[in-house]
Amino acid sequence: MLGQPVVHFEIIGKNPAKLRGYFGELFGWEFDTSSPVAQAVSEPLNYGFVTRIPASDGAGIPGGIGGGSAYERHIILYVGVPDVEAALQRAVDLGGKRQMGPERAPTGLVVGHFTDPEGNLIGVAGPA
């Protein structure tokens, strides 16, 4: 049985436009800010999905940069799960703490956040 994969990353900050400029210049990333995300994740229309350009072997995962003045700075990875609520509950049962979710994004994707026993923030994402 294979484990569940990392499917997305986010960089969240107080000034998302500045962060997009920084990482765009640093890594050559381009962003699409036209797609909505859950307000629990970022200010509406202030989230930029990285235009995905996979490596020659197809490696690489999608990600985005967003946030706003009311959002805590953090970097998070999301693990794909079949049931976000069940994954959040399992994380708590194993000693983690639920931080957010499940929240439904305008696209229908459901996300949640938890901290592990060391306090690291982790995301889970799955279907409605």
Side-chain angles (χ1 to χ4, degrees):
M1 182 171 156
L2 296 175
Q4 295 166 315
V6 174
V7 295
H8 189 76
F9 72 87
E10 289 176 340
I11 301 170
I12 302 297
K14 301 287 185 184
N15 187 338
K18 184 175 180 181
L19 283 173
R20 287 190 297 272
Y22 174 81
F23 285 102
E25 188 70 28
L26 181 62
F27 296 129
W29 292 352
E30 295 179 0
F31 301 91
D32 174 6
T33 57
S34 67
S35 296
V37 296
Q39 193 164 348
V41 172
S42 178
E43 290 175 345
L45 301 177
N46 203 1
Y47 186 94
F49 285 93
V50 177
T51 303
R52 188 165 180 259
I53 304 170
S56 59
D57 65 357
I61 62 171
I65 297 177
S69 62
Y71 295 80
E72 292 297 319
R73 293 180 275 266
H74 63 274
I75 295 175
I76 186 170
L77 58 88
Y78 286 85
V79 176
V81 297
D83 183 327
V84 171
E85 175 58 36
L88 290 171
Q89 187 56 54
R90 180 78 173 136
V92 170
D93 292 346
L94 293 171
K97 294 182 182 172
R98 184 187 303 241
Q99 300 296 314
M100 180 199 77
E103 294 278 338
R104 182 183 305 275
T107 60
L109 183 70
V110 177
V111 297
H113 295 171
F114 67 93
T115 52
D116 67 17
E118 293 282 333
N120 298 301
L121 186 65
I122 308 294
V124 289

